[in-house]
Each structure stands twice: as structure tokens, then as C-alpha cells.
Amino acid sequence: MEDFNALLEESNKVFLDNFKPEVWFGRCIFISWYCDVGTCKFCFRAAQKDRVKHAEHARRSIASILAEALLAKKLGWRVEFLTGGYNIYPLHELVGISRLVSEVYGDKVWLNLGALKREELDAFKPYIKGVVGSIEAVNPELHDAVCPDKPIKPYEEMFSYADDLKKSMTVVIGLGERKEDFGLLANFIEKHKLDRITFYALKPVKGSPYTHGPNSKDYAWWIANTRISFPKLQIIAGTTYKRVMCEDGCDTKDDVQLILRAGANAVTKFPATKKFNSEAAKKIESEIKKAGRSFSSTLTKMPDVDWDAEVDSLSIDDAIKEKLKPMLKDYLKNMGKV
């Protein structure tokens, strides 16, 4: 316990020496719910793949994608990245979606759409600030066992010709990694000169071989050691509704507070639209304060916005605007704000 507390004290100091004591919420925007690869053993797309008979049915509407982008803009959320399963859209449609999201959000976005070839990446560059590699596990044996059809090498090749873009990776804690593997993670970050990393705590999916995720201390250990080793690296950490709402005696009771003290810049993964202004959302904001951070986003307070006027001001096709307006109202209704 003393060693862990000392670790958090050091990581928190390193964070405060290099960043303002601020936190934001990162919102991943999914463009589909299906993956043509679908064999990563921890992923919900693998568990549901056999239930999706036609991949096109797993596509999200453009209106719903853009509604999330506009909500993110007005609620102070950062678009964590634009993502979706493999081989659902042709390249020109993916580029078009990226353009629209960038326009609605008002800034370039991060892209996480697999290991892109040089010419594919070039097509996205007007609309993206960085590219993400979903590495998940850096230990080669563990990675090949968990993600047998998603090799690491193509991601490394993508990083090699993405020098004019920012670079990031995702890692899932709870897949069977060992603390001795931290050196592999540190080497990967250093080798590819990454600007950012997103950690996720494994969320067990029914139908997968996993039954529980990591406790908060084990999860925070990875974040803290990464922060100490890479003082200026942007670190984002995921949490879930169940992890946040864990009561006394549960091993994720202080999840948000611990990952922030460990040195995370932001929180992600929480279902912010479905659980907006919920007890869990309020608890996240409370834990942020307990960690000594201010929150530049909101999960509980809807700003006073003329949403139709916001849509009308966008430089997108009128036909898309007319679909976006009612979609936004649906979101706001579900968030309890209309």
C-alpha cells in the first residue's frame, strides 16, 4: 500500500509539473457496430459478429454521428477519435464522414480506423490531426493470442509514414499482461515517438473468455508508470458505468480519482449521452474534484443552446441539416433536456 501511494504521489507531481490541473472528457464517435475481422477475443464486435448478417445494417446514420459531434462541441467534450470496425465503408465514404465530423465539431479529429496505407492516410489529412493504432497489448505472444488477425506490424508501418500527424495508441489492461511488460510498452512509445496513449480497463463482454476487469490499483499502476516515464505524453483513461458506481468493498470504488492521480489528462469510455446527469456522471465530477482537478467538460449540465441555429450555421448540405435537427432532439430528449 505504501509503495502504491508513493507511486501515485510521484506520478501526480510529474503531472502537475507538466500540465495544468485540468481534466476533459473524451468521446469516441463510432461510425459502425460491426467489424469484418471480428476475432479480437475481448471485443464486443467479435461477440456479436455472428448476429450481424449484413454489415451495412451495422452502419450508423450520418445524422447520429454528426449529432454526437455537435454535442461534443457544445458540452466541452473532445472527440477522442473517430472509429469503427474494419471493412464497413469504402474509403471515399470514410473520408467524407471525417470531413463532416471535422466541420461540425469545428476542429480536426483523431482517426482510429485500422492500419491505413500511406495513400489512404493522405486522403484523410485535411480533416485529421492524428492517427491511432489499436495495439491493445504490446507483449507479442499476448497480442497474437488476443488479436490473432490484427497484427502489430502494419500499425508500426503506418506510424513510420505519419510523421506529419500526431500519433497515438490504445492499450487494454486486464487481458493477461504482466508488470514486467511495462518495458515493452515504454519501448513502443519511445520507438514511435507517440504524442498520446489511451488506456482502457477491460470491460468483460458476454460471450468472451473474460469475466472481470482489472482492479483500480492495478489499472492506475500502468498509468502512473507511463506518466513518470513520459512526463509530457498525453494520457487518456477509460472508465465505465459499473466501475464508477462500484460501492464500498468493490475493487474499482475510486476508479476515476486513482487514474487522475496516476497522471491521466482525461477520462473516456463512460456512456455520457445515456448516463448524462446520472448519479454516475455526478460521481465522476465529484471524483475529479477529489483528485484536485478542474473539469473543462460537463457530464451533468446542459448549456443553453439554440440547437436549430447551431445546425443552420454549419457549412454542410441542407439535406443533412434537416436530418440532423430531429436527431439532435432525440438525443436531448434521451438526455432529459427537452
Side-chain angles (χ1 to χ4, degrees):
M1 176 64 76
E2 291 183 2
D3 288 345
F4 179 73
N5 287 337
L7 176 68
L8 286 194
E9 184 176 345
E10 182 180 359
S11 61
N12 192 48
K13 182 180 185 303
V14 172
F15 175 87
L16 294 174
D17 285 345
N18 290 277
F19 297 97
K20 294 180 180 180
E22 298 175 346
V23 176
W24 70 86
F25 178 72
R27 176 72 173 189
C28 295
I29 297 182
F30 285 82
I31 62 175
S32 71
W33 308 114
Y34 174 87
C35 179
D36 192 50
V37 174
T39 55
C40 295
K41 293 180 180 177
F42 67 91
C43 185
F44 78 93
R45 295 186 190 91
Q48 74 168 8
K49 185 175 181 181
D50 290 341
R51 297 196 294 272
V52 180
K53 303 304 180 184
H54 301 285
E56 62 270 20
H57 295 168
R59 294 184 177 192
R60 293 186 63 197
S61 71
I62 294 297
S64 67
I65 293 169
L66 299 184
E68 288 198 12
L70 188 54
L71 283 167
K73 177 181 179 180
K74 305 309 292 186
L75 293 170
W77 303 347
R78 297 192 189 182
V79 176
E80 172 72 1
F81 44 65
L82 188 64
T83 189
Y86 281 68
N87 300 326
I88 307 302
Y89 294 86
L91 180 66
H92 74 277
E93 287 191 43
L94 291 173
V95 173
I97 292 170
S98 300
R99 177 183 64 79
L100 288 170
V101 170
S102 176
E103 168 60 33
V104 171
Y105 183 62
D107 195 5
K108 292 184 177 183
V109 296
W110 286 83
L111 193 70
N112 184 357
L113 290 174
L116 299 170
K117 298 176 181 178
R118 186 190 297 269
E119 60 271 20
E120 293 173 331
L121 196 57
D122 286 344
F124 287 102
K125 284 184 178 179
Y127 317 113
I128 64 173
K129 64 176 64 176
V131 63
V132 183
S134 294
I135 306 301
E136 324 303 18
V138 291
N139 180 299
E141 292 78 17
L142 177 61
H143 179 276
D144 290 348
V146 175
C147 300
D149 299 306
K150 193 174 73 172
I152 292 176
K153 185 177 179 181
Y155 285 108
E156 294 194 282
E157 292 174 350
M158 178 178 70
F159 287 149
S160 73
Y161 48 72
D163 284 340
D164 53 343
L165 292 168
K166 293 184 178 181
K167 292 174 283 187
S168 180
M169 69 183 292
T170 64
V171 173
V172 180
I173 303 301
L175 297 175
E177 69 288 329
R178 302 167 300 171
K179 289 183 176 179
E180 303 92 277
D181 293 335
F182 180 77
L184 296 173
L185 176 61
N187 289 340
F188 193 94
I189 294 170
E190 183 67 33
K191 176 182 178 181
H192 297 291
K193 297 179 173 57
L194 299 187
D195 302 281
R196 197 182 78 170
I197 183 172
T198 299
F199 285 99
Y200 295 114
L202 174 70
K203 179 183 178 182
V205 174
K206 186 177 180 180
S208 79
Y210 297 100
T211 57
H212 63 276
N215 66 55
S216 293
K217 290 179 181 177
D218 286 345
Y219 185 34
W221 184 93
W222 285 87
I223 297 168
N225 278 281
T226 303
R227 170 56 64 216
I228 292 166
S229 298
F230 300 94
K232 297 187 181 299
L233 183 71
Q234 193 177 94
I235 300 176
I236 300 164
T239 193
T240 63
Y241 175 81
K242 287 186 177 181
R243 293 182 71 87
V244 171
M245 293 305 291
C246 198
E247 301 297 336
D248 289 344
C250 179
D251 61 8
T252 65
K253 176 177 177 290
D254 301 313
D255 209 49
V256 173
Q257 185 179 167
L258 288 179
I259 61 180
L260 294 179
R261 289 174 58 202
N265 299 84
V267 175
T268 190
K269 189 72 172 175
F270 181 76
T273 52
K274 291 182 179 179
K275 299 296 181 181
F276 189 81
N277 201 32
S278 64
E279 288 304 310
K282 293 173 184 177
K283 187 174 180 181
I284 288 176
E285 294 192 355
S286 174
E287 290 292 302
I288 289 171
K289 289 181 180 179
K290 289 179 182 178
R293 308 284 195 267
S294 62
F295 194 33
S296 61
S297 307
T298 181
L299 297 172
T300 58
K301 297 177 181 178
M302 185 65 66
D304 185 14
V305 175
D306 184 334
W307 293 100
D308 283 350
E310 286 291 331
V311 173
D312 287 336
S313 69
L314 297 172
S315 299
I316 60 176
D317 291 344
D318 288 342
I320 298 177
K321 291 181 182 180
E322 291 310 305
K323 293 180 180 179
L324 177 54
K325 289 178 180 179
M327 181 62 69
L328 262 174
K329 290 180 180 178
D330 286 344
Y331 268 90
L332 294 168
K333 181 179 179 180
N334 290 334
M335 295 166 76
K337 295 303 171 185
V338 294

